Amino acid sequence: MYIPKSFQWQDEDEISEFITRHSFALLITSEDNHPLCTHLPMYYDKDKQMLLAHMAKANSQWRAMDGSPCLCIFSGPHAFISPEWYDLPQSVPTWNYVAVHIQGTCRLVKDEIELEEILEKLIYAYEPHSKLPMDSKQHYYQQMMKAIVGFKVEIDLVEGCKKLSQNKPLAVQQRVIEQLQAKNDWNDVQVARWMQKNIVQK
């Protein structure tokens, strides 16, 4: 990922929290030089430096994944930034955003117990108070596992980018925040909040 120095994000704890919060990722692999892509929820195992997920067995992307490199993209809020807000010479339209790219190696999960563990982690990550009957849980998982393929991504590289006007004077950053808040759009407001937390004194 192209990340100018001003926007490099290297705080591991913040990045981990971001991946967990924005865990609906874009999985990109290739087969015969042809890109393949699926949007998937992923579970981030920080201790093992691994992503866990599954896809529909009907999705042919998994057939060429085992042992192959992949890219997982985690996207956060984003917003258009007008050059009028900068009030600086030679300003151009741009976009503020937060994103994390993870490169790694895909490994198919063929063991049923391991696949069941992935299902449980995903289910309780998204629904911690799940009312699945405990006595029927195993049967429920067995039914699901017939239609899915589990996999894990062994993480090789994590790249974070926070492009939040940090390269602009403080007064400009504050003006952009005000403009975004005034638009009252979810993405704009969220970007404004990120900017507020990442104000850079220049």
Side-chain angles (χ1 to χ4, degrees):
M1 176 164 53
Y2 169 63
I3 314 176
K5 188 174 182 180
S6 299
F7 309 136
Q8 290 177 357
W9 186 13
Q10 297 174 327
D11 187 308
E12 293 183 4
D13 291 335
E14 278 190 358
I15 289 174
S16 295
E17 182 181 350
F18 178 85
I19 295 170
T20 301
R21 183 179 293 268
H22 299 274
S23 56
F24 192 64
L26 193 60
L27 171 71
I28 301 172
T29 60
S30 65
E31 182 178 13
D32 298 327
N33 294 319
H34 179 70
L36 302 172
C37 177
T38 301
H39 296 261
L40 295 167
M42 292 190 169
Y43 179 88
Y44 177 46
D45 189 326
K46 183 179 178 181
D47 294 333
K48 295 182 179 178
Q49 279 299 285
M50 198 171 289
L51 297 171
L52 307 175
H54 61 80
M55 65 175 61
K57 192 171 287 185
N59 182 345
S60 61
Q61 183 176 1
W62 67 267
R63 297 184 183 279
M65 277 175 32
D66 201 21
S68 298
C70 68
L71 172 65
C72 302
I73 300 176
F74 298 83
S75 300
H78 56 88
F80 172 74
I81 307 300
S82 170
E84 295 180 2
W85 303 346
Y86 283 161
D87 194 23
L88 296 172
Q90 299 178 335
S91 294
V92 296
T94 189
W95 213 270
N96 279 5
Y97 64 93
V98 187
V100 171
H101 285 197
I102 291 181
Q103 296 180 35
T105 303
C106 287
R107 305 288 182 193
L108 295 185
V109 173
K110 301 172 184 177
D111 180 79
E112 285 194 0
I113 295 177
E114 191 174 2
L115 179 54
E116 185 176 313
E117 289 173 354
I118 290 175
L119 282 174
E120 188 159 81
K121 286 178 178 178
L122 282 165
I123 287 172
Y124 286 103
Y126 291 99
E127 193 178 5
H129 304 296
S130 174
K131 295 180 180 178
L132 280 176
M134 295 305 291
D135 57 352
S136 65
K137 183 177 68 173
Q138 187 173 7
H139 173 72
Y140 177 74
Y141 287 161
Q142 290 294 329
Q143 291 298 111
M144 288 181 63
M145 288 191 290
K146 294 177 182 178
I148 63 174
V149 175
F151 66 94
K152 51 192 176 184
V153 176
E154 298 171 350
I155 297 173
D156 299 320
L157 177 66
V158 179
E159 295 180 300
C161 178
K162 290 193 294 188
K163 184 177 180 297
L164 301 169
S165 303
Q166 305 98 309
N167 58 334
K168 303 298 182 184
L170 178 60
V172 172
Q173 295 177 59
Q174 292 174 329
R175 189 157 58 244
V176 171
I177 290 171
E178 292 170 2
Q179 291 289 342
L180 289 172
Q181 290 173 331
K183 291 178 70 176
N184 201 31
D185 172 84
W186 185 88
N187 268 303
D188 295 321
V189 171
Q190 292 301 313
V191 170
R193 289 176 179 173
W194 274 92
M195 290 183 65
Q196 286 174 321
K197 292 189 298 182
N198 291 270
I199 283 283
V200 175
Q201 301 281 348
K202 296 184 76 68

